[in-house]
Every structure is written in C-alpha cells, then in structure tokens.
Amino acid sequence: MTAHVEVMDLVAQMKAAEQAFVLATVVRTVSVTAAKAGAKAIIRPDGTIVAGWIGGGCARGAVLKAAREALADGEPRMVSVQPEDMLAELGVKAGDNRDGIRFASNMCPSKGTMDIFVEPVLPHPSLIIFGASPVAMSLAGQARQLGYHVTLAAPAGDLLVVPDADTLVDGYALGELHQARRFIVISTQGKGDEVALRAAVAIDAAYHAFVGSRRKMVALREKLIAAGLAPEALDRVKAPAGLDLGAITPEEIAMSILAEITIERRRGQRLSSQATSS
C-alpha cells in the first residue's frame, strides 16, 4: 500500500469518527524541494502531523500556521513558500496575502518553491435538542437536512413518534459528546424545563436557546439561581429562541431557530470573507 493510499484511508477513518483535522497537499513545486507535487499530510488541531509528509522545516511553520487558521474559520488556504528573491520579484513579503495566496519565505539552502493547499475537514456541527415537543421534532428533522449531527434528549415516555435524530438519549443526562461546534436548544415546553436547563448550560456551546417566552425564562432563571445555579450560566441562554419571523407553527418556529443558528455558525466565515475582499 502506498503512503498516499494510507493517508487517504486515515482521512476516511477520521471523517467517520467526526474528528477535526487539516489535509495539506503540495500542489506545485519549482526547483529543488524536499516534497513533490501530490505529497499529502494530515494535521491535527494541536499541530501534530499524524500521517504523510510535506517537507521539512522550510514549509512546516507556514503550513501549521495556516492549518490553525483554517480550523478556526473553516476556510481553506493556499500557502506559497518561496525564496526571498522570488518574493521580491512578485512585490510581496512573507505573511502577505494576494489573490487568496499566503506567501511565506523559504530560508532553506535549496531555495525551492512549494505551493501547499491547506484544507480543513471539520466534524458536522452538533445540534443538541432537549425535549420532545412538536418544535423539537421539527427542529431535528430540518437540522438533519442541513447537515447537523442531531442529538435529541428526552424521557422515552414523552416521545409520541420516533424523532429524526442521529443520537437519541433517554432523559436529559448526556454522555460523551464528539468535538464539534455545538448548538443547544431547550424545547421541553413545560415538561422538565428546569432539569433540561441545568443540563444544557453545563455544556460548552456556541449557542444556547430556550423555546418559550422571555417571561417564562425569567421565572425559571430566578428559580434556578435560588437553587444554586450560577447566574452567568443562565445568562448565556437566549429566550425566546429564533429570529423574529412572525413564526406560528412548530415548523416555522423550528425554521426561525435554524436561521438564527446559521447566522452564528457562519459568523467567522463571513468575517473572514469580508476581510479577504476588503
């Protein structure tokens, strides 16, 4: 089995396990370089190269920096490592970006040029839904169509139908969660509100929201704080959940929540796109 096949086999395994990583691929070389076009490497979020090879220290620093940034905003990058005189001819300096290419200096004696495509591979975003309400059921189904890994947590006795979810939890005590970006919605609507809220705010997530009125959330907040829950934990919960679209039906409410989650999910990518185009 070739090294290329081994790298791609590991890519498939890590994707199936919902692990975050970067696939770096050498797409072009000029003159003498340690790695040649087609060379690949898998880079973990901690900077560890777990498989493959894209050359030595001449390119490693620039690629690892690009890998960290790509994992942070989900956007791929092209890195061009060139000797100083070649950069000067192009009118750029190490660290400059032009037409989507990040330039870096090759200080090695070989004085070769390498262009490396840095592609982030991220787990499916995780939507965790507490509750078995009609909104929760609709939210699970719609989110699955949008590529979310859906976990629905509710007492089995509350479920009138089998939800369209990747993971179903009986009750509100969740086990180990995979390392994806998480979005949490509490849609218990009167059945286990307090227990679900306690469980939800204990999970690190980019978004916490409660399906219910602001007045109801205030009352629950006061009750939970009196029971010893930290106010700042509850302050992260948005209520009511979703954008104000005038939604009435469970399906419309679920859509408004997913629209709000999408804004949060794409926030970093929008900012990165605006910075690149400015």
Side-chain angles (χ1 to χ4, degrees), residues 3-275:
H4 172 74
V5 174
E6 290 172 356
V7 167
M8 298 314 292
D9 284 348
L10 185 56
V11 164
Q13 293 170 22
M14 293 177 74
K15 288 178 71 173
E18 295 282 357
Q19 297 179 22
F21 63 95
V22 158
L23 178 64
T25 304
V26 178
V27 296
R28 185 181 75 105
T29 64
V30 178
S31 188
V32 179
T33 58
K36 300 302 179 184
K40 297 178 183 293
I42 298 172
I43 305 170
R44 290 192 185 276
D46 64 1
T48 303
I49 297 178
V50 294
W53 193 64
I54 50 169
C58 303
R60 183 185 297 262
V63 171
L64 292 183
K65 183 176 187 297
R68 288 193 298 270
E69 295 171 350
L71 287 170
D73 63 19
E75 294 293 316
R77 274 126 169 105
M78 181 72 78
V79 178
S80 184
V81 182
Q82 304 192 27
E84 290 283 355
D85 58 338
M86 295 292 292
L87 294 178
E89 287 183 19
L90 293 172
V92 296
K93 302 186 298 295
D96 285 354
N97 287 280
R98 179 189 289 177
D99 299 327
I101 300 173
R102 165 78 61 81
F103 292 93
S105 177
N106 183 356
M107 304 300 291
C108 293
S110 63
K111 300 297 184 182
T113 292
M114 291 177 61
D115 293 342
I116 306 106
F117 184 62
V118 176
E119 178 186 7
V121 182
L122 300 172
H124 290 89
S126 175
L127 177 63
I128 301 170
I129 305 167
F130 288 90
S133 69
V135 172
M137 297 294 105
S138 182
L139 186 58
Q142 291 185 40
R144 287 256 290 166
Q145 293 179 9
L146 294 176
Y148 287 84
H149 181 283
V150 176
T151 297
L152 190 139
D158 291 350
L159 293 171
L160 301 179
V161 296
V162 178
D164 186 7
D166 297 282
T167 303
L168 186 59
V169 178
D170 184 4
Y172 299 125
L174 302 186
E176 185 177 351
L177 300 170
H178 65 75
Q179 296 302 308
R181 196 170 185 210
R182 303 186 189 110
F183 304 88
I184 298 177
V185 178
I186 304 100
S187 188
T188 39
Q189 294 186 291
K191 293 186 176 182
D193 292 343
E194 295 172 40
V195 178
L197 271 166
R198 280 183 175 275
V201 299
I203 300 170
D204 183 34
Y207 174 91
H208 293 80
F210 178 76
V211 179
S213 68
R214 187 173 290 106
R215 181 179 298 178
K216 183 176 183 180
M217 184 62 201
V218 168
L220 286 167
R221 182 181 184 277
E222 292 174 353
K223 193 171 184 179
L224 288 169
I225 289 173
L229 200 61
E232 55 270 21
L234 291 163
D235 289 343
R236 294 196 298 267
V237 181
K238 181 183 181 294
L243 299 178
D244 185 5
L245 304 179
I248 297 175
T249 67
E251 293 77 14
E252 290 173 345
I253 294 169
M255 179 183 68
S256 76
I257 295 168
L258 281 170
E260 187 169 62
I261 288 174
T262 300
I263 290 173
E264 181 60 36
R265 178 185 172 188
R266 301 300 187 190
R267 189 183 305 279
Q269 291 172 314
R270 295 202 322 273
L271 291 174
S272 175
S273 177
Q274 291 168 5

